Amino acid sequence: MKINTLTKEEVFRSLVTTEQGLTAHEAERRLLEFGLNRIEAVKGRSLVLRFADQFTHFLAILLWIAVALSFVSEYLSPGEGMLALGIAIIAVICINAVFTFIQEYRAEKALEAMKKLLPFRVRVLRDARETELSAERVVPGDIVLIAEGDKAPADLRIIEASDLRVNMAALTGESEAVSRTTEPSDGDVMHSRNIAFAGTTVVSGSGIGVAFATGMSTEFGRIAHLTGTVSPGLTPLQKEIVRLTRIVAAIAGVTGVVFFAIGWFSGRTFWENALFAVGIIVANVPEGLLPTVTLALAMGSQRMAKRNALIKTLTSVETLGSVSVICTDKTGTLTQNEMTVKKIGTLCGPSAEAEQWLFTAAGACNNTREVDGELRGDPTELALFRAARGHGIAAASVRLKEFSFDDERKRMSTINVVDGAVYIMTKGAPESVLSVCARCRREVGEVPLDEALRQEAIALYQAFMDQGLRVLAFAYREAPAGGQPLSREEAEQELVFLGFIGLEDPPRPEVAAAIKKCRTAGIRIIMITGDASRTAVAIAREIGLVSGQPTVVEGEAFVRMSDGELRTALAQPEVIFTRMTPKHKLRVVNLLKEEGERVAVTGDGVNDAPALKRADIGIAMGRSGTDVAKEAADMVLLDDNFATIVSAIEEGRAIFDNIKKFITYIFAHLTPEAIPYILYALFRIPLPLTVAQILAIDLGTETLPALGLGVEPPEAGIMNIPPRPKQSTLIDAALLLRSYVFLGLISTAGALFAYFYVLNLGGWRWGMILPLDHPLVRQASTATFLGIVIMQVGNVFACRSSRETVFRRGFFSNRLILGGIAIELLLQVLIVYHPLGNKIFSTAPIPLDIWLLLVPCALALLFAEEGRKYLVRRRGR
Ligand code: ATP
């Protein structure tokens, strides 16, 4: 029998469960039988294939060409060492492949680990009690409670529905809300209206369903199995790196060919020219760049997670750093979302009876529930519920009906039985409730709510709001006999106004400092709240968000304003949007984006999803947010805290900077590697650097210290400069000039100084031609090689910051860099002084004083760079 055709009782029978849910014991047993309720990741390409990829990508192919060239040379003129070179390059390709593979693997694991940080909780009935548990533990037969914003954790047969509508986009791709009912239906399960499939989301209303399929047996699990996992693709930054490495490699290839031709025509042998071409190619291929960038992004997202910001895609890590506007909610994000009743106000003067009615309404028109022995619910309602209890109002009276809260009306109503009579109870935003009141409660009893009394009420709640309190109004009315058949419109009219309750929700203590930080960082903050203007402005003032008279746009005016008018409002330095619904947020985000801003926006409800998706960075609340919002968002705040957004932006900026740092560092050694070859080709000087030595530099110096640069903490002034422009790219003219030209040329000077110093010492004079294996040539090339390495040591310190002076960072604060340098120097000693090193890299021991001569050269580079930073800082001021 198909589950959709069964009646409720038959469903219970077929799944061996009851209305009270499974017993904990039975649930455990079923968990063992059916397994965890999760979609197993479909295996992507096998590890072996992915490892094989490392040998066939563009840069690897370029290196293979170099190998081929070496082998052809060996064939044409054997014994010139080209065979060894070819083998050495193959070794490089292999080492690179392993290194890249490990980095990519680590990055992937880091991201996987982060996904686990976001638990997906569900409410189920077990042993007749509502409990909350991880969705993974849901088993067939569980009675699952779902409500607006939830994602169905398993395939559910609906047995109770109140205005329940779901969005099936996850399954069908059609993002339209469809209503769900409880009636048995014929036809296939897929199109049945009494089923909520796993992965679909509840758009409105609430319901109860019996889980009949979990994990891979769900419809969603089956589809996931069919389609496999789609790889997320590269982030813009990664794409830029790929593009860049290709350009660099292409330039290297062309230069190699051109100089090969020049050499050919100037009468050099094939192998000599080949040697040169191979050298140029190998020197210029930035092998480890892409995996290092990927790893830096992944590690960065892990650091963000430690600061409670969970990033869902690597792209967001880089986008975060460029955010220029944050549109934020107030309640729960800027404030603590811990409400307490601070004030009550009625039109009665102190009257025990009036207060009693006020709290009766507060307790009855309230959805606070007890889960696992704890009170759960919306913080506003929770505070009201507690206060009602404090006033001796026992557990909620019997409720016959609910007209749930919606953010358009900004009020909710219930129909309750109190002391045998039936009442309509309403609570909501003051203006909203007052608009449906005709009478009010006074000492003498109920009187008409005339204009004078209305003004008195308004003055009362405005005074509360000016103190930053969130104010709710309450009203009631005895319902006509029966009560239930009333429609919402019929119920919410002619009500009797009871009074106000003012709730305090203190700002989060970290927020004021975070706002200040944003201000110096050139990031604007726009508060978009559902709360009233006066409350919003009072809170904004308290946290330092506004100082003067802010422009306040209220929801009602907002809908009437043209885009042009809104743009003018948005251009004001201090603007607050109040009494807004989530739908309005989308319009604000759109307008800001049109103005070229990079927008981050927060949200927690179902209706926030479009704005979260549209924003450059959609931010969902991890604690109070719905599953729908979390799914639509790019980042989830585990602590719901505004200050966390600012920390994440700071981290995002730091990551971007760090990637720039190691690119600068890596590119800076390309110049001293290439220029000796060009000089060699042009002037027939003894070969200043061998290809094997270049490879030793690329693998020895490039990797470890570069990784160290990837973990540099943010620079002191990083939040004192405006966001980087939207169109700015990672690798721009400034970076290339600083790296290739400024640092590269100083580095070259140091290396060539060592080269000519050794040649001169050995008696070489300009124009002398020495054979390649001449001891002096070996020594001289060893000096160039050592020169580049020592200059790179100075360079790695120079690159640790781009504005701040490195002396303030502390020379010994980055252990990864220090360790990297230590290993690098140790390798260097072995290569220069050990016979095996001499053999492999065509080096020869050189006098110790060359090392000492190179130290001031490296320091000169460091100080030159410090001078540049000083000028940059001075110009910044
Ligand atoms: P923010 O958008 O900054 O988080 P908010 O939480 O105040 O602000 P909404 O939840 O849209 O925004 O609430 C808007 C208004 O509706 C509140 O100021 C309050 O007056 C009223 N309100 C909120 N929750 C309820 C509720 N459960 N019952 C009745 N009225 C409510």
Side-chain angles (χ1 to χ4, degrees), residues 603-841:
D604 44 23
V606 176
N607 298 334
D608 285 317
L612 291 177
K613 283 212 177 110
R614 177 81 182 103
D616 295 290
I617 294 283
I619 305 168
M621 301 300 139
R623 289 198 192 157
S624 61
T626 56
D627 299 336
V628 175
K630 287 179 204 164
E631 206 142 277
D634 304 291
M635 176 164 107
V636 179
L637 297 182
L638 295 177
D639 58 359
D640 292 13
N641 191 342
F642 176 81
T644 303
I645 305 176
V646 183
S647 310
I649 291 179
E650 187 172 356
E651 201 65 63
R653 286 187 174 193
I655 292 166
F656 192 82
D657 267 13
N658 284 353
I659 293 176
K660 270 194 143 160
K661 283 173 196 168
F662 64 66
I663 292 182
T664 309
Y665 167 70
I666 288 174
F667 279 11
H669 81 201
L670 297 180
T671 313
E673 282 177 3
I675 287 187
Y677 271 86
I678 295 173
L679 293 182
Y680 168 70
L682 294 179
F683 302 114
R684 310 208 75 172
I685 52 176
L687 185 68
L689 194 65
T690 71
V691 177
Q693 286 162 359
I694 291 179
L695 294 177
I697 295 168
D698 285 12
L699 290 172
T701 56
E702 191 171 273
T703 46
L704 289 179
L707 283 181
L709 287 175
V711 300
E712 276 290 319
E715 275 181 56
I718 200 164
M719 292 300 267
N720 293 340
I721 47 172
R724 64 170 196 268
K726 209 170 179 175
Q727 61 282 5
S728 82
T729 53
L730 180 72
I731 296 147
D732 50 13
L735 183 144
L736 293 178
L737 275 177
R738 178 180 167 207
S739 167
Y740 269 139
V741 182
F742 183 63
L743 295 168
L745 284 182
I746 299 179
S747 203
T748 311
L752 288 180
F753 162 71
Y755 165 76
F756 283 114
Y757 180 82
V758 169
L759 275 183
N760 202 41
L761 213 63
W764 179 83
R765 295 291 170 268
W766 189 261
M768 272 188 197
I769 294 184
L770 296 176
L772 259 189
D773 52 357
H774 191 283
L776 185 57
V777 178
R778 277 182 161 238
Q779 272 202 329
S781 72
T782 306
T784 318
F785 170 44
L786 182 69
I788 297 177
V789 170
I790 302 281
M791 294 305 275
Q792 279 296 87
V793 172
N795 194 15
V796 74
F797 282 108
C799 287
R800 282 186 60 199
S801 61
S802 53
R803 282 172 301 274
E804 193 188 7
T805 150
V806 71
F807 300 109
R808 266 189 57 190
R809 310 228 91 194
F811 249 84
F812 304 103
S813 55
N814 189 326
R815 294 218 201 102
L816 209 53
I817 289 185
L818 294 179
I821 292 173
I823 294 175
E824 179 185 344
L825 291 181
L826 188 71
L827 284 175
Q828 197 61 24
V829 170
L830 292 178
I831 292 175
V832 177
Y833 296 104
H834 196 280
L836 191 68
N838 294 159
K839 193 158 177 229
I840 300 175
F841 297 97

Side-chain angles (χ1 to χ4, degrees), residues 329-331 378 380-381 405 407 410-412 427-430 470-472 528-532 579-580:
D329 297 330
K330 172 179 72 68
T331 315
D378 172 73
T380 307
E381 297 203 332
F405 172 75
D407 39 41
K410 293 197 167 30
R411 60 174 181 258
M412 73 175 278
K427 81 167 191 303
R470 174 188 186 92
V471 186
L472 289 184
I528 305 182
T529 174
D531 218 336
R579 286 295 187 225
M580 297 278 278

